[in-house]
Amino acid sequence: MTSSPVDPSALAEARRSHFVALFTALAVGLHAVDVLLPSPLPWFRLGLANILTLVALFLYGDRAAWTVTLGRIGIGSLLLGRLFSPGFFLSFSGGVCAVMLMCGVRRFFPRLFGPIGISLLGAVGHVSGQLLIAWLLLVRHPDLWRLYPWLLLAALVSGLLNGFVADRVLEILRRHPAFAEEQG
Amino acid sequence: MRRVLTLLGLLVAALLLRQLLFPASYDVRRSQILLGTVVEIDLHGADASRLEAAVSEAFAEIARIEALMSPINPSSDVARLNMTTAPLAVHPETASVIAFGAELAQKSGGAFDLGLGRIKALWALESETPHHATAEELAPLLRDLGPGDVSLTDIGMAQRAPAVAVDLGGIAKGYAVDRAVAVLSRAGEVWGSVNAGGDIGFVGSRPDRLWRIGIQHPRQAGEVLATLSLEGGAVVTSGDYERFVEIEGERYHHLFDPSTGEPARRCQTVTVVADGAMLADVLATALFVLGPEKGFPLVESYHASALLVTVDGAVHTSPTLSGVTWP
Amino acid sequence: MAVSALWRRMTLGDRLLLFVLLALILITLPVTRSQGKGARLLVEQDGAVLYAAPLTASGRWRFQGPLGESEIEVAHGGARIVSSPCPHKLCIALGRIAHPGELIACVPNHLLLRIEGESASSHDLITR
């Protein structure tokens, strides 16, 4: 059968790419909110955009998660004028580490963790990646690692929050017919 | 697999770009005993091996100047000058230091003097057996002292008056710091400092903020009297507390008043901020002898500024001194 | 209420992970408090390093200088010169150093004791 508008697999594919694009756009928006939100500590961010990465990961898998994250970082830093600034590299390495950890764990232990656990892993990956890059490129001082426990604590808080929200969102989305046949 | 490779490639490209835009910074910090004190050099820059080479070269430069101007080294210009009363051909750098010192001797009305060698030797404050010089002993040594006692002839030879011995103590250290700063500056995009026992010269300015320099409190060891915020240049302190001996309860320090041959009595400590360390060094010595009323106009005439503590403990600052904070 | 909603949504793996993370943070948190005591003592002579060790390594050491042997003592996180062949014994009078950036110099015997480490001082340098 040739491809036609009613071809169910082509339709599903089109729907997927539309939603991934939408998630990316929402992630950029949340990222902007996150950056602009007043923060008690200069390095503390909630990482709200990770909610969309989690949703994409649970609905559509690895590839969608990468697209949302990398798209969000690229477009987000363009919009906020931080492309290739030190903050961008921290954000980039944090994002890459987070998605690697989330996708990797989900691939090898698909049933063990729910969105909240994966979210925690993502947050831990994010702060670890950032600290590693900061140590490699900005301040090669062992005292930098003293920050790690505090960053982990922050990751724990934001990971729980984002995971909770993502779980709720996934629950609602799965009830909707547009996502009825998606995995997860 | 291809996606992983692409990502890795992206990461490497990003890292390379980062290195280009924000080069890594290294810090080389070394100290060595030279000029009768501890010389500390601290240099920051992007190229570690170049920093190391520059710091070594700067220490070698200071050692070279010490060899030219130390009164102890028998082959130095200063030692040779003290062995003859005839005009003597000296190294052009020694000549330029003497020329500058002679100018300041003139401008300070004799408060700064290049010919204090015999006075210092008589007191022998740094030896094992310091000696309280009497007026009778000092009188013949004071005879030739004063502006012009050490000078350059028309053809640039150095000459001293018969009754004096040349001592470049209040000037050579500053000159050495200036030379070390010049050597370090040649290493490209660097910043740092040269600290020769409290005579400080800056290599460029700090990229993040102003330099914060504490002035040692003259009577409370380890305490800071005030803090100077400086962009660059040099800062030198002369104090009566660094090298002194007590003879019968009286404090005798190494900063002599050329008019009496005795340790100068007006000040406890003097700090001068100037463009160069040699200028600051000489001005600090002169100001220590002159005191604030006569000394500040001299300091101002060289576009320098100063902070001093008089013998009664009162703090004075010259009108142009800025960036002082008190603890 | 919100906590129990959160708890209910977590899988067994999620809960385990949360506990592991919490434990990790609790174990490592004390590390953040120990401040700047990673200082090292350096003993140098004419630009060459004769001795370099953490200030926590207590003991007495002798170093040969042009005038003879100087003895240094490292104890209770500080260092001082206890005997020196130099004429004025100024280096002994300088007492004890314990903080990064501090130094004792024995100019006659060409010996330099210096503490290396991140300085907590609010000044870059001191002019004296």
Side-chain angles (χ1 to χ4, degrees):
Chain A
M1 193 199 242
T2 54
S3 175
S4 80
V6 287
D7 173 354
S9 73
L11 193 62
E13 186 51 46
R15 198 156 53 206
R16 278 169 78 110
S17 52
H18 271 84
F19 276 113
V20 169
L22 181 64
F23 291 162
T24 309
L26 284 170
V28 170
L30 278 182
H31 178 62
V33 169
D34 207 358
V35 171
L36 299 176
L37 218 59
S39 162
L41 296 162
W43 42 264
F44 182 74
R45 299 277 167 223
L46 285 172
L48 296 174
N50 204 41
I51 297 170
L52 278 307
T53 303
L54 283 164
V55 172
L57 176 65
F58 275 81
L59 285 178
Y60 301 127
D62 287 11
R63 198 164 160 190
W66 280 109
T67 309
V68 170
T69 302
L70 294 181
R72 186 264 300 169
I73 293 169
I75 299 166
S77 22
L78 263 179
L79 281 179
L80 296 166
R82 304 196 311 166
L83 195 60
F84 301 128
S85 72
F88 167 79
F89 288 96
L90 292 182
S91 190
F92 181 79
S93 60
V96 168
C97 278
V99 181
M100 274 197 318
L101 202 59
M102 291 193 294
C103 293
V105 169
R106 195 161 154 70
R107 174 165 297 176
F108 292 110
F109 310 98
R111 293 272 152 232
L112 185 56
F113 298 111
I116 297 173
I118 296 292
S119 173
L120 279 173
L121 284 169
V124 168
H126 199 265
V127 295
S128 310
Q130 285 195 333
L131 200 62
L132 190 70
I133 283 296
W135 186 71
L136 288 176
L137 299 181
L138 299 176
V139 258
R140 278 227 165 180
H141 195 284
D143 274 1
L144 188 69
W145 292 99
R146 287 182 198 283
L147 274 178
Y148 200 40
W150 296 110
L151 288 172
L152 281 181
L153 193 63
L156 189 112
V157 173
S158 62
L160 283 177
L161 177 78
N162 294 332
F164 182 68
V165 175
D167 196 37
R168 287 278 303 163
V169 170
L170 281 166
E171 190 181 68
I172 294 164
L173 287 184
R174 282 196 186 114
R175 278 193 228 124
H176 193 278
F179 302 95
E181 69 241 45
E182 300 299 346
Q183 66 188 66
Chain B
M1 192 59 213
R2 229 181 40 223
R3 218 164 336 120
V4 172
L5 282 179
T6 317
L7 261 171
L8 273 178
L10 262 175
L11 194 68
V12 169
L15 294 186
L16 283 177
L17 202 67
R18 169 69 181 72
Q19 283 292 338
L20 277 177
L21 294 176
F22 311 97
S25 180
Y26 295 92
D27 177 11
V28 171
R29 199 184 281 260
R30 293 218 303 259
S31 15
Q32 217 167 309
I33 294 176
L34 286 167
L35 305 164
T37 186
V38 182
V39 181
E40 293 177 88
I41 295 181
D42 184 17
L43 194 64
H44 299 250
D47 184 340
S49 60
R50 214 164 155 203
L51 293 179
E52 291 282 356
V55 170
S56 298
E57 205 188 327
F59 277 123
E61 180 74 0
I62 295 173
R64 186 182 67 83
I65 290 157
E66 185 177 19
L68 278 179
M69 304 183 192
S70 142
I72 303 159
N73 179 351
S75 61
S76 75
D77 280 348
V78 171
R80 291 192 305 125
L81 201 48
N82 285 338
M83 284 186 280
T84 173
T85 49
L88 180 79
V90 292
H91 192 280
E93 290 183 71
T94 312
S96 75
V97 168
I98 289 176
F100 187 72
E103 177 194 323
L104 257 296
Q106 209 79 43
K107 291 270 172 63
S108 67
F112 178 77
D113 202 307
L114 292 170
L116 293 172
R118 289 183 68 182
I119 307 271
K120 289 186 183 178
L122 178 61
W123 285 88
L125 293 183
E126 314 209 353
S127 74
E128 281 181 66
T129 51
H131 166 69
H132 188 176
T134 61
E136 294 78 54
E137 288 172 315
L138 285 168
L141 306 187
L142 295 174
R143 184 166 48 88
D144 283 347
L145 223 52
D149 56 356
V150 179
S151 59
L152 290 183
T153 65
D154 299 338
I155 54 166
M157 309 248 279
Q159 194 174 24
R160 67 174 170 96
V164 304
V166 181
D167 184 291
L168 299 183
I171 186 168
K173 199 154 78 167
Y175 178 71
V177 169
D178 283 342
R179 284 302 311 152
V181 167
V183 165
L184 296 171
S185 303
R186 291 205 300 255
E189 293 280 311
V190 295
W191 61 275
S193 60
V194 178
N195 179 3
D199 288 21
I200 298 166
F202 300 108
V203 184
S205 43
R206 285 186 69 105
D208 50 348
R209 56 170 171 79
L210 294 175
W211 291 99
R212 282 201 282 265
I213 306 304
I215 299 176
Q216 167 68 46
H217 194 289
R219 291 296 177 265
Q220 293 162 21
E223 293 296 314
V224 165
L225 174 69
T227 302
L228 295 172
S229 297
L230 303 171
E231 193 150 339
V235 52
V236 171
T237 294
S238 286
D240 64 4
Y241 52 87
E242 267 290 281
R243 282 181 269 174
F244 67 89
V245 290
E246 283 191 7
I247 306 174
E248 289 149 20
E250 186 91 31
R251 180 187 284 227
Y252 295 90
H253 59 81
H254 68 297
L255 297 160
F256 292 97
D257 183 341
S259 65
T260 62
E262 302 248 351
R265 291 287 173 217
R266 288 198 177 88
C267 302
Q268 294 178 355
T269 185
V270 166
T271 298
V272 173
V273 179
D275 285 340
M278 175 165 73
L279 176 61
D281 199 0
V282 175
L283 287 176
T285 310
L287 185 55
F288 192 94
V289 172
L290 287 172
E293 294 82 11
K294 287 185 188 157
F296 281 163
L298 174 72
V299 170
E300 303 272 296
S301 73
Y302 280 93
H303 307 291
S305 48
L307 182 155
L308 65 75
V309 180
T310 43
V311 72
D312 55 4
V315 181
H316 302 253
T317 57
S318 74
T320 52
L321 185 70
S322 59
V324 194
T325 43
W326 309 94
Chain C
M1 220 267 304
V3 177
S4 70
L6 181 71
W7 190 250
R8 261 187 286 112
R9 286 170 183 277
M10 291 172 91
T11 66
L12 181 66
D14 291 353
R15 290 171 193 173
L16 276 176
L17 180 68
L18 181 62
F19 281 121
V20 169
L21 255 179
L22 265 176
L24 200 68
I25 291 167
L26 286 179
I27 290 165
T28 54
L29 218 47
V31 178
T32 61
R33 232 168 294 148
S34 68
Q35 275 303 319
K37 266 285 169 187
R40 292 200 317 157
L41 172 70
L42 295 181
V43 180
E44 297 173 347
Q45 190 170 63
D46 302 323
V49 177
L50 304 180
Y51 171 94
L55 268 177
T56 46
S58 298
R60 281 182 173 229
W61 285 271
R62 294 171 165 275
F63 298 98
Q64 188 65 40
L67 298 182
E69 265 189 353
S70 296
E71 186 172 6
I72 68 156
E73 183 198 70
V74 183
H76 314 296
R80 64 191 180 106
I81 295 185
V82 286
S83 84
S84 169
C86 61
H88 287 298
K89 318 284 183 208
L90 271 178
C91 52
I92 301 175
L94 282 170
R96 180 172 177 273
I97 52 171
H99 304 290
E102 289 183 329
L103 56 82
I104 298 176
C106 181
V107 176
N109 210 22
H110 291 224
L111 217 57
L112 194 66
L113 274 63
R114 184 157 73 92
I115 296 179
E116 198 184 54
E118 203 51 40
S119 172
S121 162
S122 53
H123 297 103
D124 298 315
L125 293 165
I126 301 289
T127 178
R128 60 185 83 234

